[in-house]
């Protein structure tokens, strides 16, 4: 029984990872479809694939299925990806995200598929025609019905490039909500979209430090930074600062604004919303030299709040005179222990409302 359990586990792992897979050609798939005498809709096919006894009895070579599904991975020949079965007019069946094992179907692309089929991205709604060969599911045809958010963004702006990725665009592809739309089965690991388009890319962002610096045993200083507005505050960015940047990161204080440049290392998962950047340079933006809040705050012109980044700045600090926080954040910063300007970090005697 133990040996049989190990054999079943290794076989399932091989099918999921595509290791040692003898991938057939598109011609072999067409031949299998021609010889097949049985067919079933994709939801039934996916439900049967999740039960071993029924899988052994029904899903023999040549079983064909068709239907509408959502692509749940980057498409490559010989690499496993997932299809989420849908019903009716593209509506999700119950449990497609909450219970991934029930309605997700692992499939492969055969050798020689048309190039257009490889351009489908996670989240795209497609009409697919599948066939079972040697215990694995292969795609015969895949026709696009509608683009997902990831595909629409890539079509409009092209693939992400170094130093041109805004945090908003990163959130469209890699946030928790984006992973749900892409039908990602990962929980704590990186998604296929992150691995293909964002991992290793250089970004230049600015954010608000939410916690005091933390030092790891290897000498790396960790900073938790909130980039963007309140809507993205629940998915902070973790900065890994080493070498020359570690000393600068150690001097930062909670509530200060930092500007950083680095490479994207990891993506926050479904429950661990930590997007990690390996920092190459870290600096405190000069409020008088073209920062998002500097010139406007010094000149008395209202800009966005330097703390929440989503509300108009209406209050100024005395004596520095920086008008850089909204009314709500001014109430939080009114206590003497917190009363320091978020732009210049100069202690303040009071915070006053400035009228246009």
């Amino acid at each position: 029984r133990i040996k049989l359990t190990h054999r079943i586990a290794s076989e399932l792992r091989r099918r999921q990872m595509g290791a040692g897979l003898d991938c057939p050609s598109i011609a072999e798939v067409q031949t299998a479809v021609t010889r097949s005498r049985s067919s079933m809709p994709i939801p039934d096919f996916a439900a049967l694939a999740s039960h071993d006894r029924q899988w052994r009895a029904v899903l023999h070579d040549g079983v064909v299925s068709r239907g509408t599904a959502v692509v749940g991975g980057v498409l490559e020949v010989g690499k496993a990806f997932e299809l989420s079965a849908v019903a009716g007019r593209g509506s999700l069946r119950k449990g497609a995200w909450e219970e991934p094992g029930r309605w997700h179907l692992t499939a492969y692309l055969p050798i020689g598929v048309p190039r257009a089929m490889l351009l489908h991205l996670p989240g795209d709604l497609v009409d697919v025609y599948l066939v079972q060969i040697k215990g694995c599911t292969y795609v015969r045809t895949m026709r696009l019905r509608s683009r997902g958010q990831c595909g629409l963004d890539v079509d409009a702006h092209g693939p992400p490039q170094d130093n041109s990725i805004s945090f908003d665009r990163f959130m469209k592809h890699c946030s928790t909500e984006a992973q749900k739309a892409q039908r990602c089965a990962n929980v704590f690991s990186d998604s296929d979209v992150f691995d293909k388009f964002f991992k290793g890319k250089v970004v230049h962002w600015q954010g608000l430090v939410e916690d005091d610096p933390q030092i790891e045993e290897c000498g790396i200083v960790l900073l938790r930074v909130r980039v963007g507005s309140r809507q993205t505050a629940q998915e902070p960015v973790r900065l890994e600062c080493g070498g020359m940047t570690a000393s600068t990161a150690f001097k930062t204080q909670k509530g200060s604004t930092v500007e950083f440049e680095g490479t994207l290392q990891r993506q926050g998962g479904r429950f661990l919303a930590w997007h990690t950047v390996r920092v190459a340079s870290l600096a405190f933006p000069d409020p008088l030299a073209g920062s998002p809040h500097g010139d406007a705050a010094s000149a008395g012109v209202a800009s966005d709040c330097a703390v929440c980044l989503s509300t108009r700045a209406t209050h100024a600090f005395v004596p520095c005179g920086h008008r850089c926080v909204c009314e709500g954040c001014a109430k939080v910063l009114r206590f003497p222990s917190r009363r320091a300007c978020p732009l210049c970090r100069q202690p303040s005697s009071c915070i006053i409302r400035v009228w246009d």
Side-chain angles (χ1 to χ4, degrees), residues 242-254:
M244 298 298 294
T245 61
S247 58
T248 306
F250 187 73
K251 299 176 183 178
T252 59
Q253 299 179 4
K254 181 179 179 180

Side-chain angles (χ1 to χ4, degrees), residues 20-44:
L21 184 68
D22 185 15
C23 190
S25 65
I26 189 67
E28 293 178 281
V29 172
Q30 298 281 13
T31 303
V33 171
T34 304
R35 293 177 180 176
S36 177
R37 297 180 180 179
S38 59
S39 63
M40 61 183 68
I42 284 181
D44 295 341

Side-chain angles (χ1 to χ4, degrees), residues 167-243:
F167 186 72
D168 289 339
R169 188 182 189 190
F170 178 73
M171 285 289 98
K172 288 181 181 179
H173 290 264
C174 299
S175 65
T176 304
E177 293 300 322
Q179 292 179 58
K180 291 181 181 180
Q182 297 163 12
R183 303 297 186 270
C184 294
N186 67 304
V187 177
F188 298 106
S189 59
D190 298 337
S191 66
D192 283 356
V193 172
F194 179 83
D195 286 337
K196 181 175 181 179
F197 293 112
F198 293 94
K199 190 172 184 177
K201 292 292 191 299
V202 179
V203 296
H204 193 138
W205 293 338
Q206 179 175 314
L208 186 73
V209 179
E210 291 195 321
D211 292 322
D212 294 328
Q214 298 179 3
I215 304 177
E216 292 190 336
E217 295 181 357
C218 55
I220 295 178
V221 179
L222 302 180
L223 289 178
R224 179 178 175 178
V225 178
R226 186 180 70 197
V227 183
S229 59
R230 292 180 184 271
Q231 286 73 18
T232 57
Q234 295 182 355
E235 297 196 26
V237 177
R238 183 172 65 176
L239 306 184
E240 293 183 350
C241 306

